[in-house]
Amino acid sequence: MLSVNHFQRGIHKLGNDVSPEVRMAMHSLVSASPLPDLQGTKELIRSGGPRAAAWLHDKEIGSPFVIPAIYQPESHIPLAIWQACPSTSNGNEQAHQNVNRDGTGLTLLAAIMRGMHYDKRAMAAVDLMHSSAIHQRDQPPNYFYRAGRAVLRQVRVQKRKVSKVDDDLVDTYRRYDVNLELGRKALERFLNPHLSSKTRDSWQRKLQEYRAQHEHLRGQAKDLAARGSGTSTERDITQPTVFDHPSIVQRRTRT
């Protein structure tokens, strides 16, 4: 069986290049029971755009083992065994680790002897667990332990995301200040009574550009502040600025 997490992660990487309907059809291929219309599901995916069609082509032609590894009716694994197997590839990865630990590139006799020794160690650990409830690891790999690790992993991920939002908020405030200073200097030149009409119109256009950027940064900062940790120094950027000067507002209203 294929790891469901790895399979779904590949679908997630397609992003917005596939529609929600096509994405749902892709997820439906992970099933222990026959789909009502398997060929119709494949046709829906195939017609979902270039990336969706390439995704299905890879599963059917490039890696033909994938569909039987996620869709039980296409496999030769009995249903009872399929349902009893975990939906992850942790067992396969553990087997690879055990092989690498015992050695690779061995002769046939050495490999058989290593395998025999591994089997003895594994059976001794199982017998010890059954007789004395002493596990070979410090933490028993039960559902509670895995669920707790999953929660801690999610906490770390969320902390990284929030920290990234805080950094983006600080950078947005910096760009906000830079744009505000550019707007202040542009307003001083715009209000210069000795400017020609052509030069004044040029500064007016610059002011409108700075004003649009000002509104964008203000909205972006508000959104980031709402999603941040709250530990960053939030600023009140709703106060009137140079872009609320009557001359700019009146000219903007006329245009």
Side-chain angles (χ1 to χ4, degrees), residues 96-108:
H96 282 293
Q97 182 185 14
N98 294 334
V99 170
N100 293 330
R101 180 184 300 163
D102 286 342
T104 59
L106 305 175
T107 63
L108 179 60

Side-chain angles (χ1 to χ4, degrees), residues 67-133:
I67 298 298
I70 59 175
Y71 185 58
Q72 191 275 332
E74 292 288 323
S75 73
H76 299 288
I77 302 176
L79 181 60
I81 297 178
W82 182 282
Q83 293 175 334
C85 291
S87 60
T88 68
S89 59
N90 293 342
N92 300 338
E93 295 169 1
Q94 182 63 49
H96 282 293
Q97 182 185 14
N98 294 334
V99 170
N100 293 330
R101 180 184 300 163
D102 286 342
T104 59
L106 305 175
T107 63
L108 179 60
L109 178 59
I112 293 174
M113 294 180 66
R114 290 289 181 88
M116 179 185 66
H117 293 158
Y118 173 80
D119 291 342
K120 287 184 177 180
R121 295 196 304 270
M123 291 306 301
V126 171
D127 292 340
L128 182 62
M129 178 64 184
H130 289 166
S131 61
S132 305

Side-chain angles (χ1 to χ4, degrees), residues 156-172 220 224 227-229 232:
R156 290 195 298 269
V157 170
Q158 291 302 320
K159 284 184 177 180
R160 286 198 299 269
K161 289 182 178 179
V162 172
S163 177
K164 177 66 168 56
V165 171
D166 289 343
D167 293 340
D168 291 344
L169 179 60
V170 172
D171 182 66
T172 300
Q220 183 176 350
L224 291 172
R227 295 188 290 114
S229 63
S232 300

Side-chain angles (χ1 to χ4, degrees), residues 142-208:
N142 52 28
Y143 176 79
F144 177 78
Y145 175 67
R146 289 193 295 269
R149 287 189 62 185
V151 170
L152 294 177
R153 188 182 305 114
Q154 288 297 323
V155 169
R156 290 195 298 269
V157 170
Q158 291 302 320
K159 284 184 177 180
R160 286 198 299 269
K161 289 182 178 179
V162 172
S163 177
K164 177 66 168 56
V165 171
D166 289 343
D167 293 340
D168 291 344
L169 179 60
V170 172
D171 182 66
T172 300
Y173 282 146
R174 180 190 61 78
R175 291 187 290 129
Y176 177 87
D177 292 336
V178 171
N179 186 74
L180 197 63
E181 180 63 18
L182 292 174
R184 186 188 64 79
K185 293 180 179 179
L187 180 62
E188 290 179 357
R189 290 171 173 79
F190 174 75
L191 296 177
N192 187 344
H194 303 292
L195 290 179
S196 64
S197 59
K198 182 178 181 180
T199 305
R200 189 181 301 276
D201 291 339
S202 175
W203 282 112
Q204 180 188 6
R205 287 191 296 270
K206 284 185 176 296
L207 277 170
Q208 296 303 333

